[in-house]
Amino acid sequence: HLTCPKLACEPLSNPHLNCTKKDRLPQEAQRTWLRIVALGVSLALVTFLLWSSAGIDDDVAEVVAHRGEVLEGRFIEVPCSEDYDGHRRFEGCTPRKCGRGVTDIVITREEAEQIRRIAEKGLSLGGSDGGASILDLHSGALSVGKHFVNLYRYFGDKIQTIFSEEDFQLYRDIRQKVQLTIAEAFGIRASLLYLTKPTFFSRINSTEAQTAHDEYWHAHVDKVTYGSFDYTSLLYLSDYLEDFGGGRFVFMEEGSNKTVEPRAGRVSFFTSGSENLHRVEKVLWGTRYAITIAFTCNPDHGIEDPVLT
Ligand SMILES: O=C(O)CCC(=O)C(=O)O
Ligand SMILES: [Fe+2]
């Protein structure tokens, strides 16, 4: 006596099999289940492929400083890269302890707003054709179109109709406070740190950069990009999600990036070697203001504070 096999019931091709409707029902249910499982596996596969194609991108990022937080100080130590070995060492200053820190209590939001006005005044006189625009109060360089002009040369004495002595004093005070913060965090003497160039204001919006130097979102190492940098700091002058979207700062790390959300008055600082590879996300809307303030241990690479002449 032949019985109907569960998985291949073919009543038409095999007349000896007496398959009833009752036999076929569980089979159809099984097929449906198989389809559901196959669909589930495919969906999981597609999700995995999309996720892995995003690489070490921001999908797996931990926010180390949220815009809404007021951080007294957060410091994360990371092993130093070998980048410092390629340069002259200055004991007591060249990084032996590497890492990154964030603090919201060194610069007040009022100070950040005042200093943003300096940036707005200067940058309103020029601005790049898209992407990032910079203003360097030390050299007088200002982005205009695809190039730079020298504000001090261009305006001469008339520069005093644009910037005031108070503007410059505020800039110097802020530089001093940031320098002390870095020295304390890394256990070095502040007097061994020298301001270095480029130290500049940046204004970033969502317009497309027209030249490579106005593109700011590429991952980079400051010590490689700028040479003299040993310690980099960023003072943010506007708020993530209030003044602009996108534009978060990202430390690139295999497996888990670390994000700093800009907040007016927030100082983010780190050793400049490849232990701190980073990038800025593209700004999606609004305008983002910041100052990059850099320090070197090499007195030959030091620059003076700007003075209004
Ligand atoms: O503005 C920022 O958050 C970072 C800027 C930066 O990476 C740089 O100036 O080297
Ligand atoms: Fe950088």
Side-chain angles (χ1 to χ4, degrees):
H1 175 74
L2 286 168
T3 57
C4 196
K6 269 202 159 67
L7 275 170
C9 188
E10 305 274 23
L12 293 176
S13 59
N14 189 345
H16 303 291
L17 284 177
N18 181 20
C19 288
T20 63
K21 224 176 171 191
K22 218 167 121 233
D23 293 316
R24 274 203 299 273
L25 259 180
Q27 238 185 326
E28 273 164 20
Q30 244 168 350
R31 283 212 190 99
T32 309
W33 273 112
L34 270 175
R35 277 192 207 111
I36 291 170
V37 168
L39 196 71
V41 169
S42 316
L43 269 176
L45 198 68
V46 167
T47 310
F48 173 77
L49 285 175
L50 282 176
W51 175 77
S52 58
S53 71
I56 56 166
D57 220 295
D58 308 340
D59 290 2
V60 269
E62 183 193 329
V63 178
V64 289
H66 288 273
R67 195 260 307 173
E69 292 178 285
V70 181
L71 295 172
E72 235 178 78
R74 180 165 288 171
F75 188 84
I76 300 158
E77 193 167 341
V78 291
C80 291
S81 63
E82 289 168 4
D83 297 7
Y84 307 98
D85 299 341
H87 295 74
R88 216 174 120 196
R89 271 201 166 270
F90 293 85
E91 278 322 320
C93 180
T94 302
R96 294 237 178 245
K97 171 187 178 183
C98 291
R100 22 184 114 139
V102 182
T103 175
D104 292 314
I105 60 163
V106 168
I107 308 295
T108 66
R109 288 177 67 82
E110 290 69 41
E111 284 174 314
E113 198 181 313
Q114 283 173 344
I115 203 145
R116 194 189 65 228
R117 286 208 205 100
I118 306 177
E120 284 168 349
K121 277 194 287 190
L123 284 155
S124 71
L125 302 169
S128 71
D129 285 344
S133 300
I134 72 118
L135 165 67
D136 177 343
L137 282 190
H138 301 267
S139 67
L142 170 74
S143 308
V144 179
K146 292 184 176 54
H147 307 278
F148 293 95
V149 295
N150 190 313
L151 271 189
Y152 301 152
R153 208 173 301 144
Y154 190 82
F155 285 99
D157 292 349
K158 300 266 186 319
I159 196 71
Q160 307 205 13
T161 62
I162 300 161
F163 301 120
S164 67
E165 185 47 51
E166 291 83 74
D167 289 343
F168 276 61
Q169 189 54 51
L170 178 64
Y171 189 87
R172 291 190 288 264
D173 289 347
I174 278 169
R175 191 272 302 150
Q176 175 73 10
K177 286 187 197 174
V178 171
Q179 185 165 345
L180 291 171
T181 303
I182 292 175
E184 197 188 323
F186 291 97
I188 57 178
R189 279 172 38 209
S191 59
L192 295 178
L193 289 171
Y194 301 89
L195 191 66
T196 193
K197 65 176 181 189
T199 279
F200 58 92
F201 287 101
S202 62
R203 182 185 73 188
I204 309 178
N205 58 30
S206 61
T207 56
E208 195 73 39
Q210 300 299 312
T211 68
H213 62 239
D214 296 331
E215 293 183 356
Y216 51 85
W217 56 86
H218 302 291
H220 64 275
V221 171
D222 288 349
K223 183 123 201 89
V224 174
T225 308
Y226 305 117
S228 64
F229 285 30
D230 288 311
Y231 298 90
T232 306
S233 73
L234 300 154
L235 166 60
Y236 292 110
L237 307 176
S238 33
D239 290 318
Y240 171 63
L241 295 187
E242 290 273 327
D243 300 314
F244 63 90
R248 295 179 305 170
F249 178 99
V250 187
F251 288 110
M252 314 287 288
E253 266 173 32
E254 194 113 12
S256 171
N257 291 337
K258 303 284 185 292
T259 305
V260 175
E261 297 179 351
R263 169 189 168 87
R266 173 165 286 170
V267 179
S268 169
F269 56 93
F270 47 91
T271 43
S272 312
S274 44
E275 67 277 5
N276 282 315
L277 174 74
H278 60 271
R279 71 182 198 91
V280 178
E281 293 174 334
K282 280 193 183 185
V283 169
L284 304 175
W285 56 268
T287 308
R288 175 196 199 264
Y289 285 94
I291 319 182
T292 298
I293 306 175
F295 296 95
T296 181
C297 296
N298 186 342
D300 295 342
H301 293 149
I303 57 167
E304 291 302 317
D305 272 328
V307 280
L308 194 60
T309 42

